[in-house]
Amino acid sequence: GSGGLLERMKETGVDVIGLDWTLDMGDARRRLGADLAVQGNVDPAKLFSTKEGISSAIDDCVKKAGKTGHILNLGHGVMVGTPEESVAHFFEYNRNNSFY
């Protein structure tokens, strides 16, 4: 919910800014620049999708984040009731693919 403050957050001198799933990664990256690392921001609800849907959400996030300075994770943690198989797929897909 702090998308309106991204530029001000950057001015604090932090090394990484965590982004929740409500922000478009591409927009956040444009606003923050490539010199600041970002963390996030796959929508945790995507883990209720198919494996293909989860993979697509990861691909979209990584593409928009750029080739450097990105820590892939969920944009707000794992929701109650999320299938464990989906969480496992999220990590396995990330580990088994060379995005950068």
Side-chain angles (χ1 to χ4, degrees):
S2 59
L5 301 173
L6 286 181
E7 291 82 2
R8 292 177 76 188
M9 292 166 67
K10 181 179 179 176
E11 292 173 5
T12 67
V14 297
D15 295 321
V16 180
I17 292 181
L19 304 172
D20 70 19
W21 62 272
T22 63
L23 291 168
D24 178 75
M25 178 61 81
D27 179 54
R29 182 51 96 188
R30 280 187 293 282
R31 291 169 58 194
L32 294 170
D35 59 328
L36 181 66
V38 292
Q39 178 176 326
N41 73 338
V42 174
D43 181 349
K46 296 292 184 183
L47 295 185
F48 289 94
S49 180
T50 63
K51 286 185 177 182
E52 293 79 16
I54 296 166
S55 300
S56 177
I58 292 170
D59 291 341
D60 181 61
C61 181
V62 170
K63 180 181 176 186
K64 289 179 178 179
K67 294 187 182 264
T68 60
H70 178 227
I71 302 165
L72 176 69
N73 73 354
L74 298 174
H76 198 294
V78 178
M79 297 168 62
V80 173
T82 301
E84 290 181 27
E85 300 81 19
S86 295
V87 177
H89 177 73
F90 181 88
F91 288 105
E92 289 168 9
Y93 187 78
N94 184 41
R95 263 189 246 129
N96 293 329
N97 287 280
S98 176
F99 294 110
Y100 308 107

Short mmCIF file of all heavy atoms in Angstrom, two decimals, residues 24-92:
data_model
loop_
_atom_site.label_atom_id
_atom_site.label_comp_id
_atom_site.label_asym_id
_atom_site.label_seq_id
_atom_site.Cartn_x
_atom_site.Cartn_y
_atom_site.Cartn_z
N ASP A 24 2.60 -2.75 -9.91
CA ASP A 24 3.11 -3.35 -11.12
C ASP A 24 4.64 -3.27 -11.06
O ASP A 24 5.20 -2.18 -10.87
CB ASP A 24 2.60 -2.61 -12.35
CG ASP A 24 3.16 -3.17 -13.62
OD1 ASP A 24 2.72 -4.25 -14.03
OD2 ASP A 24 4.07 -2.53 -14.20
N MET A 25 5.30 -4.41 -11.20
CA MET A 25 6.76 -4.46 -11.10
C MET A 25 7.41 -3.56 -12.14
O MET A 25 8.39 -2.87 -11.85
CB MET A 25 7.26 -5.90 -11.25
CG MET A 25 8.77 -6.03 -11.19
SD MET A 25 9.53 -5.47 -9.65
CE MET A 25 9.27 -6.91 -8.62
N GLY A 26 6.88 -3.52 -13.34
CA GLY A 26 7.45 -2.67 -14.38
C GLY A 26 7.38 -1.20 -14.03
O GLY A 26 8.34 -0.45 -14.21
N ASP A 27 6.24 -0.78 -13.51
CA ASP A 27 6.07 0.62 -13.10
C ASP A 27 7.01 0.95 -11.94
O ASP A 27 7.67 1.99 -11.93
CB ASP A 27 4.62 0.88 -12.70
CG ASP A 27 4.40 2.31 -12.25
OD1 ASP A 27 4.76 3.24 -13.02
OD2 ASP A 27 3.88 2.51 -11.14
N ALA A 28 7.08 0.05 -10.96
CA ALA A 28 7.97 0.29 -9.82
C ALA A 28 9.42 0.38 -10.26
O ALA A 28 10.16 1.25 -9.81
CB ALA A 28 7.79 -0.82 -8.79
N ARG A 29 9.83 -0.50 -11.16
CA ARG A 29 11.21 -0.49 -11.64
C ARG A 29 11.51 0.82 -12.38
O ARG A 29 12.57 1.41 -12.20
CB ARG A 29 11.44 -1.70 -12.54
CG ARG A 29 12.84 -1.81 -13.06
CD ARG A 29 13.89 -1.72 -11.99
NE ARG A 29 14.32 -3.02 -11.54
CZ ARG A 29 15.11 -3.20 -10.52
NH1 ARG A 29 15.55 -2.17 -9.81
NH2 ARG A 29 15.47 -4.39 -10.16
N ARG A 30 10.57 1.28 -13.19
CA ARG A 30 10.78 2.56 -13.89
C ARG A 30 10.93 3.70 -12.89
O ARG A 30 11.77 4.59 -13.07
CB ARG A 30 9.62 2.84 -14.84
CG ARG A 30 9.69 2.11 -16.16
CD ARG A 30 8.62 2.55 -17.13
NE ARG A 30 7.27 2.19 -16.70
CZ ARG A 30 6.73 0.98 -16.80
NH1 ARG A 30 7.45 0.00 -17.30
NH2 ARG A 30 5.50 0.75 -16.40
N ARG A 31 10.12 3.69 -11.87
CA ARG A 31 10.14 4.78 -10.89
C ARG A 31 11.36 4.73 -9.98
O ARG A 31 11.85 5.77 -9.54
CB ARG A 31 8.87 4.73 -10.05
CG ARG A 31 7.64 5.09 -10.87
CD ARG A 31 6.35 4.81 -10.15
NE ARG A 31 6.25 5.50 -8.88
CZ ARG A 31 5.34 5.21 -7.94
NH1 ARG A 31 4.46 4.24 -8.16
NH2 ARG A 31 5.31 5.88 -6.81
N LEU A 32 11.87 3.54 -9.69
CA LEU A 32 13.00 3.40 -8.78
C LEU A 32 14.34 3.37 -9.51
O LEU A 32 15.38 3.64 -8.91
CB LEU A 32 12.85 2.13 -7.94
CG LEU A 32 11.69 2.13 -6.96
CD1 LEU A 32 11.49 0.76 -6.37
CD2 LEU A 32 11.91 3.18 -5.88
N GLY A 33 14.34 2.99 -10.77
CA GLY A 33 15.58 2.87 -11.52
C GLY A 33 16.21 1.50 -11.33
O GLY A 33 15.83 0.73 -10.45
N ALA A 34 17.19 1.22 -12.16
CA ALA A 34 17.85 -0.09 -12.14
C ALA A 34 18.95 -0.19 -11.09
O ALA A 34 19.46 -1.28 -10.84
CB ALA A 34 18.42 -0.39 -13.52
N ASP A 35 19.31 0.92 -10.47
CA ASP A 35 20.42 0.90 -9.51
C ASP A 35 19.99 0.53 -8.09
O ASP A 35 20.84 0.34 -7.22
CB ASP A 35 21.12 2.26 -9.49
CG ASP A 35 20.18 3.40 -9.13
OD1 ASP A 35 18.99 3.32 -9.48
OD2 ASP A 35 20.64 4.37 -8.51
N LEU A 36 18.71 0.37 -7.86
CA LEU A 36 18.19 -0.01 -6.55
C LEU A 36 17.55 -1.38 -6.64
O LEU A 36 16.73 -1.63 -7.53
CB LEU A 36 17.15 1.01 -6.07
CG LEU A 36 16.55 0.77 -4.69
CD1 LEU A 36 17.62 0.93 -3.61
CD2 LEU A 36 15.41 1.73 -4.45
N ALA A 37 17.93 -2.28 -5.75
CA ALA A 37 17.36 -3.63 -5.77
C ALA A 37 15.91 -3.60 -5.29
O ALA A 37 15.54 -2.78 -4.46
CB ALA A 37 18.18 -4.55 -4.89
N VAL A 38 15.12 -4.50 -5.85
CA VAL A 38 13.73 -4.64 -5.46
C VAL A 38 13.46 -6.09 -5.07
O VAL A 38 14.11 -7.01 -5.57
CB VAL A 38 12.76 -4.21 -6.58
CG1 VAL A 38 12.83 -2.71 -6.81
CG2 VAL A 38 13.01 -4.97 -7.86
N GLN A 39 12.50 -6.26 -4.19
CA GLN A 39 12.11 -7.59 -3.73
C GLN A 39 10.62 -7.76 -3.93
O GLN A 39 9.84 -6.89 -3.57
CB GLN A 39 12.46 -7.75 -2.26
CG GLN A 39 12.06 -9.08 -1.68
CD GLN A 39 12.51 -9.23 -0.25
OE1 GLN A 39 13.57 -8.73 0.14
NE2 GLN A 39 11.72 -9.91 0.54
N GLY A 40 10.23 -8.87 -4.49
CA GLY A 40 8.80 -9.15 -4.67
C GLY A 40 8.55 -9.65 -6.07
O GLY A 40 9.47 -10.08 -6.76
N ASN A 41 7.45 -9.52 -6.53
CA ASN A 41 6.19 -9.17 -5.92
C ASN A 41 5.05 -9.97 -6.55
O ASN A 41 4.02 -9.44 -6.90
CB ASN A 41 5.94 -7.68 -6.00
CG ASN A 41 5.59 -7.18 -7.39
OD1 ASN A 41 5.89 -7.81 -8.38
ND2 ASN A 41 4.94 -6.04 -7.45
N VAL A 42 5.25 -11.27 -6.67
CA VAL A 42 4.21 -12.12 -7.25
C VAL A 42 3.00 -12.13 -6.31
O VAL A 42 3.14 -12.30 -5.10
CB VAL A 42 4.73 -13.56 -7.48
CG1 VAL A 42 3.62 -14.48 -7.95
CG2 VAL A 42 5.89 -13.55 -8.48
N ASP A 43 1.83 -11.96 -6.88
CA ASP A 43 0.58 -11.97 -6.12
C ASP A 43 0.42 -13.33 -5.45
O ASP A 43 0.41 -14.37 -6.12
CB ASP A 43 -0.58 -11.72 -7.08
CG ASP A 43 -1.94 -11.68 -6.42
OD1 ASP A 43 -2.06 -12.05 -5.24
OD2 ASP A 43 -2.90 -11.30 -7.12
N PRO A 44 0.30 -13.38 -4.12
CA PRO A 44 0.17 -14.66 -3.43
C PRO A 44 -1.05 -15.46 -3.86
O PRO A 44 -1.06 -16.68 -3.76
CB PRO A 44 0.10 -14.29 -1.96
CG PRO A 44 0.07 -12.83 -1.87
CD PRO A 44 0.32 -12.25 -3.21
N ALA A 45 -2.07 -14.80 -4.37
CA ALA A 45 -3.26 -15.51 -4.85
C ALA A 45 -2.94 -16.36 -6.08
O ALA A 45 -3.66 -17.31 -6.37
CB ALA A 45 -4.38 -14.52 -5.16
N LYS A 46 -1.86 -16.03 -6.79
CA LYS A 46 -1.47 -16.82 -7.96
C LYS A 46 -1.12 -18.25 -7.57
O LYS A 46 -1.15 -19.15 -8.41
CB LYS A 46 -0.28 -16.18 -8.68
CG LYS A 46 -0.56 -14.83 -9.27
CD LYS A 46 -1.51 -14.91 -10.42
CE LYS A 46 -1.68 -13.54 -11.06
NZ LYS A 46 -2.66 -13.54 -12.13
N LEU A 47 -0.79 -18.48 -6.30
CA LEU A 47 -0.45 -19.83 -5.87
C LEU A 47 -1.68 -20.73 -5.77
O LEU A 47 -1.56 -21.93 -5.51
CB LEU A 47 0.30 -19.80 -4.53
CG LEU A 47 1.67 -19.14 -4.57
CD1 LEU A 47 2.36 -19.27 -3.22
CD2 LEU A 47 2.55 -19.71 -5.66
N PHE A 48 -2.84 -20.17 -5.99
CA PHE A 48 -4.06 -20.97 -6.07
C PHE A 48 -4.36 -21.35 -7.52
O PHE A 48 -5.37 -21.99 -7.80
CB PHE A 48 -5.25 -20.21 -5.46
CG PHE A 48 -5.17 -20.10 -3.96
CD1 PHE A 48 -4.59 -19.00 -3.37
CD2 PHE A 48 -5.66 -21.11 -3.16
CE1 PHE A 48 -4.50 -18.89 -1.99
CE2 PHE A 48 -5.57 -21.02 -1.77
CZ PHE A 48 -5.00 -19.92 -1.19
N SER A 49 -3.50 -20.95 -8.43
CA SER A 49 -3.64 -21.21 -9.85
C SER A 49 -3.02 -22.56 -10.19
O SER A 49 -2.57 -23.30 -9.32
CB SER A 49 -2.95 -20.09 -10.63
OG SER A 49 -3.07 -20.28 -12.01
N THR A 50 -2.96 -22.85 -11.48
CA THR A 50 -2.27 -24.04 -11.96
C THR A 50 -0.76 -23.81 -11.92
O THR A 50 -0.30 -22.68 -11.77
CB THR A 50 -2.68 -24.33 -13.42
OG1 THR A 50 -2.25 -23.22 -14.23
CG2 THR A 50 -4.18 -24.54 -13.53
N LYS A 51 0.00 -24.88 -12.11
CA LYS A 51 1.45 -24.73 -12.19
C LYS A 51 1.83 -23.78 -13.32
O LYS A 51 2.73 -22.97 -13.19
CB LYS A 51 2.14 -26.08 -12.37
CG LYS A 51 2.16 -26.91 -11.12
CD LYS A 51 2.95 -28.19 -11.32
CE LYS A 51 3.02 -28.97 -10.02
NZ LYS A 51 3.83 -30.19 -10.17
N GLU A 52 1.11 -23.89 -14.43
CA GLU A 52 1.39 -23.02 -15.57
C GLU A 52 1.10 -21.56 -15.22
O GLU A 52 1.83 -20.65 -15.62
CB GLU A 52 0.58 -23.45 -16.79
CG GLU A 52 0.98 -24.79 -17.35
CD GLU A 52 0.43 -26.00 -16.57
OE1 GLU A 52 -0.51 -25.83 -15.75
OE2 GLU A 52 0.97 -27.09 -16.75
N GLY A 53 0.02 -21.33 -14.49
CA GLY A 53 -0.32 -19.98 -14.06
C GLY A 53 0.71 -19.39 -13.12
O GLY A 53 1.05 -18.21 -13.21
N ILE A 54 1.20 -20.22 -12.22
CA ILE A 54 2.25 -19.78 -11.29
C ILE A 54 3.53 -19.45 -12.06
O ILE A 54 4.14 -18.40 -11.85
CB ILE A 54 2.51 -20.87 -10.22
CG1 ILE A 54 1.26 -21.08 -9.36
CG2 ILE A 54 3.72 -20.50 -9.37
CD1 ILE A 54 1.31 -22.33 -8.50
N SER A 55 3.91 -20.34 -12.96
CA SER A 55 5.12 -20.11 -13.77
C SER A 55 5.00 -18.84 -14.58
O SER A 55 5.96 -18.06 -14.67
CB SER A 55 5.36 -21.30 -14.71
OG SER A 55 5.53 -22.50 -13.97
N SER A 56 3.84 -18.60 -15.15
CA SER A 56 3.61 -17.39 -15.95
C SER A 56 3.73 -16.13 -15.09
O SER A 56 4.31 -15.13 -15.52
CB SER A 56 2.23 -17.47 -16.60
OG SER A 56 1.96 -16.29 -17.32
N ALA A 57 3.20 -16.19 -13.87
CA ALA A 57 3.30 -15.03 -12.97
C ALA A 57 4.75 -14.76 -12.59
O ALA A 57 5.18 -13.59 -12.52
CB ALA A 57 2.46 -15.27 -11.72
N ILE A 58 5.52 -15.81 -12.39
CA ILE A 58 6.95 -15.64 -12.07
C ILE A 58 7.67 -15.04 -13.27
O ILE A 58 8.45 -14.09 -13.12
CB ILE A 58 7.58 -16.99 -11.68
CG1 ILE A 58 7.02 -17.46 -10.33
CG2 ILE A 58 9.10 -16.89 -11.62
CD1 ILE A 58 7.39 -18.89 -9.98
N ASP A 59 7.42 -15.58 -14.45
CA ASP A 59 8.07 -15.07 -15.67
C ASP A 59 7.78 -13.59 -15.86
O ASP A 59 8.68 -12.80 -16.19
CB ASP A 59 7.60 -15.85 -16.90
CG ASP A 59 8.10 -17.28 -16.93
OD1 ASP A 59 9.07 -17.61 -16.22
OD2 ASP A 59 7.49 -18.08 -17.67
N ASP A 60 6.52 -13.20 -15.66
CA ASP A 60 6.12 -11.80 -15.84
C ASP A 60 6.85 -10.90 -14.85
O ASP A 60 7.37 -9.85 -15.21
CB ASP A 60 4.60 -11.68 -15.66
CG ASP A 60 4.12 -10.26 -15.87
OD1 ASP A 60 4.30 -9.72 -16.98
OD2 ASP A 60 3.57 -9.68 -14.91
N CYS A 61 6.90 -11.32 -13.60
CA CYS A 61 7.55 -10.53 -12.56
C CYS A 61 9.04 -10.35 -12.85
O CYS A 61 9.57 -9.25 -12.80
CB CYS A 61 7.35 -11.21 -11.20
SG CYS A 61 8.08 -10.33 -9.81
N VAL A 62 9.70 -11.45 -13.18
CA VAL A 62 11.14 -11.41 -13.44
C VAL A 62 11.45 -10.56 -14.67
O VAL A 62 12.39 -9.78 -14.68
CB VAL A 62 11.69 -12.85 -13.60
CG1 VAL A 62 13.12 -12.85 -14.11
CG2 VAL A 62 11.60 -13.58 -12.27
N LYS A 63 10.64 -10.69 -15.71
CA LYS A 63 10.85 -9.90 -16.93
C LYS A 63 10.75 -8.41 -16.63
O LYS A 63 11.57 -7.61 -17.06
CB LYS A 63 9.83 -10.29 -17.99
CG LYS A 63 9.96 -9.52 -19.27
CD LYS A 63 8.90 -9.95 -20.28
CE LYS A 63 8.99 -9.09 -21.52
NZ LYS A 63 7.89 -9.40 -22.45
N LYS A 64 9.74 -8.03 -15.87
CA LYS A 64 9.53 -6.62 -15.55
C LYS A 64 10.59 -6.09 -14.58
O LYS A 64 10.91 -4.90 -14.62
CB LYS A 64 8.13 -6.42 -14.97
CG LYS A 64 7.03 -6.58 -15.99
CD LYS A 64 5.68 -6.40 -15.35
CE LYS A 64 4.57 -6.51 -16.37
NZ LYS A 64 3.23 -6.37 -15.73
N ALA A 65 11.11 -6.94 -13.72
CA ALA A 65 12.10 -6.50 -12.73
C ALA A 65 13.45 -6.20 -13.37
O ALA A 65 14.21 -5.38 -12.87
CB ALA A 65 12.27 -7.56 -11.64
N GLY A 66 13.75 -6.88 -14.45
CA GLY A 66 15.04 -6.66 -15.11
C GLY A 66 16.06 -7.70 -14.72
O GLY A 66 15.81 -8.58 -13.89
N LYS A 67 17.23 -7.59 -15.32
CA LYS A 67 18.24 -8.63 -15.19
C LYS A 67 19.09 -8.54 -13.93
O LYS A 67 19.79 -9.48 -13.60
CB LYS A 67 19.15 -8.60 -16.42
CG LYS A 67 18.41 -8.98 -17.68
CD LYS A 67 19.37 -9.11 -18.84
CE LYS A 67 18.64 -9.43 -20.10
NZ LYS A 67 18.58 -10.80 -20.45
N THR A 68 19.06 -7.44 -13.23
CA THR A 68 19.88 -7.32 -12.02
C THR A 68 19.07 -6.70 -10.89
O THR A 68 18.10 -5.98 -11.13
CB THR A 68 21.13 -6.45 -12.26
OG1 THR A 68 20.71 -5.14 -12.66
CG2 THR A 68 22.03 -7.05 -13.32
N GLY A 69 19.49 -6.98 -9.68
CA GLY A 69 18.90 -6.32 -8.52
C GLY A 69 17.47 -6.72 -8.22
O GLY A 69 16.67 -5.88 -7.83
N HIS A 70 17.17 -8.01 -8.36
CA HIS A 70 15.81 -8.47 -8.07
C HIS A 70 15.86 -9.71 -7.19
O HIS A 70 16.54 -10.68 -7.49
CB HIS A 70 15.06 -8.80 -9.35
CG HIS A 70 13.68 -9.31 -9.11
ND1 HIS A 70 13.20 -10.43 -9.73
CD2 HIS A 70 12.69 -8.87 -8.31
CE1 HIS A 70 11.95 -10.65 -9.34
NE2 HIS A 70 11.63 -9.72 -8.47
N ILE A 71 15.11 -9.67 -6.09
CA ILE A 71 14.92 -10.82 -5.22
C ILE A 71 13.48 -11.28 -5.42
O ILE A 71 12.54 -10.58 -5.06
CB ILE A 71 15.15 -10.45 -3.74
CG1 ILE A 71 16.55 -9.87 -3.56
CG2 ILE A 71 14.90 -11.65 -2.84
CD1 ILE A 71 16.74 -9.14 -2.23
N LEU A 72 13.33 -12.43 -6.03
CA LEU A 72 11.98 -12.94 -6.33
C LEU A 72 11.35 -13.50 -5.07
O LEU A 72 11.96 -14.31 -4.35
CB LEU A 72 12.05 -14.03 -7.40
CG LEU A 72 10.71 -14.69 -7.72
CD1 LEU A 72 9.79 -13.70 -8.44
CD2 LEU A 72 10.92 -15.93 -8.57
N ASN A 73 10.16 -13.06 -4.79
CA ASN A 73 9.34 -13.68 -3.76
C ASN A 73 7.90 -13.24 -3.95
O ASN A 73 7.57 -12.54 -4.89
CB ASN A 73 9.86 -13.42 -2.34
CG ASN A 73 9.65 -12.01 -1.85
OD1 ASN A 73 9.19 -11.14 -2.58
ND2 ASN A 73 9.98 -11.78 -0.60
N LEU A 74 7.06 -13.65 -3.03
CA LEU A 74 5.66 -13.24 -3.07
C LEU A 74 5.55 -11.81 -2.59
O LEU A 74 6.34 -11.35 -1.77
CB LEU A 74 4.80 -14.16 -2.21
CG LEU A 74 4.79 -15.62 -2.65
CD1 LEU A 74 4.03 -16.45 -1.62
CD2 LEU A 74 4.17 -15.76 -4.03
N GLY A 75 4.53 -11.15 -3.06
CA GLY A 75 4.33 -9.76 -2.69
C GLY A 75 3.61 -9.56 -1.38
O GLY A 75 3.21 -8.44 -1.06
N HIS A 76 3.44 -10.60 -0.60
CA HIS A 76 2.84 -10.44 0.73
C HIS A 76 2.81 -11.74 1.52
O HIS A 76 2.02 -11.91 2.43
CB HIS A 76 1.43 -9.87 0.65
CG HIS A 76 0.97 -9.28 1.95
ND1 HIS A 76 0.75 -10.04 3.08
CD2 HIS A 76 0.70 -8.02 2.32
CE1 HIS A 76 0.34 -9.26 4.07
NE2 HIS A 76 0.31 -8.03 3.63
N GLY A 77 3.61 -12.70 1.20
CA GLY A 77 3.65 -13.95 1.95
C GLY A 77 2.61 -14.96 1.48
O GLY A 77 1.78 -14.69 0.64
N VAL A 78 2.70 -16.13 2.06
CA VAL A 78 1.82 -17.24 1.70
C VAL A 78 0.51 -17.11 2.45
O VAL A 78 0.49 -16.96 3.67
CB VAL A 78 2.50 -18.59 2.01
CG1 VAL A 78 1.57 -19.75 1.70
CG2 VAL A 78 3.81 -18.72 1.24
N MET A 79 -0.58 -17.19 1.71
CA MET A 79 -1.90 -17.07 2.31
C MET A 79 -2.33 -18.39 2.96
O MET A 79 -1.93 -19.47 2.52
CB MET A 79 -2.92 -16.67 1.24
CG MET A 79 -2.64 -15.32 0.62
SD MET A 79 -3.61 -14.98 -0.88
CE MET A 79 -5.27 -15.02 -0.25
N VAL A 80 -3.14 -18.30 4.00
CA VAL A 80 -3.69 -19.48 4.66
C VAL A 80 -4.45 -20.30 3.62
O VAL A 80 -5.21 -19.76 2.82
CB VAL A 80 -4.62 -19.07 5.82
CG1 VAL A 80 -5.32 -20.28 6.41
CG2 VAL A 80 -3.84 -18.32 6.89
N GLY A 81 -4.23 -21.59 3.64
CA GLY A 81 -4.93 -22.48 2.72
C GLY A 81 -4.25 -22.68 1.39
O GLY A 81 -4.74 -23.43 0.55
N THR A 82 -3.12 -22.03 1.17
CA THR A 82 -2.39 -22.19 -0.08
C THR A 82 -1.90 -23.63 -0.19
O THR A 82 -1.29 -24.15 0.75
CB THR A 82 -1.18 -21.23 -0.14
OG1 THR A 82 -1.64 -19.89 -0.03
CG2 THR A 82 -0.40 -21.40 -1.43
N PRO A 83 -2.14 -24.28 -1.31
CA PRO A 83 -1.65 -25.66 -1.47
C PRO A 83 -0.13 -25.73 -1.37
O PRO A 83 0.59 -24.96 -2.01
CB PRO A 83 -2.12 -26.04 -2.88
CG PRO A 83 -3.25 -25.10 -3.19
CD PRO A 83 -2.92 -23.83 -2.47
N GLU A 84 0.36 -26.66 -0.55
CA GLU A 84 1.80 -26.82 -0.38
C GLU A 84 2.49 -27.12 -1.70
O GLU A 84 3.63 -26.68 -1.92
CB GLU A 84 2.10 -27.92 0.63
CG GLU A 84 1.73 -27.54 2.05
CD GLU A 84 2.07 -28.64 3.05
OE1 GLU A 84 2.99 -29.45 2.78
OE2 GLU A 84 1.40 -28.69 4.09
N GLU A 85 1.81 -27.85 -2.57
CA GLU A 85 2.39 -28.19 -3.87
C GLU A 85 2.65 -26.93 -4.69
O GLU A 85 3.61 -26.87 -5.45
CB GLU A 85 1.45 -29.12 -4.66
CG GLU A 85 1.17 -30.44 -3.98
CD GLU A 85 0.08 -30.34 -2.90
OE1 GLU A 85 -0.70 -29.37 -2.89
OE2 GLU A 85 0.05 -31.24 -2.05
N SER A 86 1.81 -25.94 -4.53
CA SER A 86 1.99 -24.68 -5.26
C SER A 86 3.18 -23.91 -4.73
O SER A 86 3.94 -23.32 -5.51
CB SER A 86 0.73 -23.82 -5.15
OG SER A 86 -0.35 -24.45 -5.80
N VAL A 87 3.36 -23.91 -3.42
CA VAL A 87 4.53 -23.24 -2.82
C VAL A 87 5.79 -23.94 -3.30
O VAL A 87 6.77 -23.29 -3.69
CB VAL A 87 4.44 -23.24 -1.28
CG1 VAL A 87 5.69 -22.62 -0.67
CG2 VAL A 87 3.19 -22.50 -0.81
N ALA A 88 5.77 -25.27 -3.30
CA ALA A 88 6.93 -26.04 -3.77
C ALA A 88 7.23 -25.70 -5.23
O ALA A 88 8.39 -25.51 -5.60
CB ALA A 88 6.68 -27.53 -3.60
N HIS A 89 6.19 -25.62 -6.05
CA HIS A 89 6.40 -25.30 -7.46
C HIS A 89 7.00 -23.91 -7.62
O HIS A 89 7.90 -23.70 -8.46
CB HIS A 89 5.09 -25.39 -8.25
CG HIS A 89 5.26 -25.01 -9.68
ND1 HIS A 89 5.92 -25.81 -10.59
CD2 HIS A 89 4.91 -23.88 -10.35
CE1 HIS A 89 5.95 -25.20 -11.76
NE2 HIS A 89 5.35 -24.03 -11.65
N PHE A 90 6.55 -22.95 -6.84
CA PHE A 90 7.09 -21.59 -6.90
C PHE A 90 8.61 -21.63 -6.73
O PHE A 90 9.35 -21.04 -7.52
CB PHE A 90 6.44 -20.72 -5.82
CG PHE A 90 6.91 -19.30 -5.80
CD1 PHE A 90 6.28 -18.34 -6.57
CD2 PHE A 90 7.99 -18.91 -5.01
CE1 PHE A 90 6.71 -17.02 -6.56
CE2 PHE A 90 8.43 -17.60 -4.99
CZ PHE A 90 7.79 -16.65 -5.76
N PHE A 91 9.07 -22.33 -5.71
CA PHE A 91 10.51 -22.38 -5.45
C PHE A 91 11.25 -23.24 -6.46
O PHE A 91 12.33 -22.87 -6.92
CB PHE A 91 10.78 -22.86 -4.03
CG PHE A 91 10.42 -21.82 -3.01
CD1 PHE A 91 9.27 -21.95 -2.24
CD2 PHE A 91 11.21 -20.70 -2.83
CE1 PHE A 91 8.92 -20.97 -1.31
CE2 PHE A 91 10.87 -19.73 -1.90
CZ PHE A 91 9.73 -19.87 -1.15
N GLU A 92 10.68 -24.37 -6.84
CA GLU A 92 11.34 -25.24 -7.81
C GLU A 92 11.47 -24.56 -9.17
O GLU A 92 12.52 -24.65 -9.81
CB GLU A 92 10.56 -26.55 -7.96
CG GLU A 92 10.67 -27.45 -6.74
CD GLU A 92 9.68 -28.61 -6.76
OE1 GLU A 92 9.01 -28.81 -7.80
OE2 GLU A 92 9.57 -29.28 -5.73
#
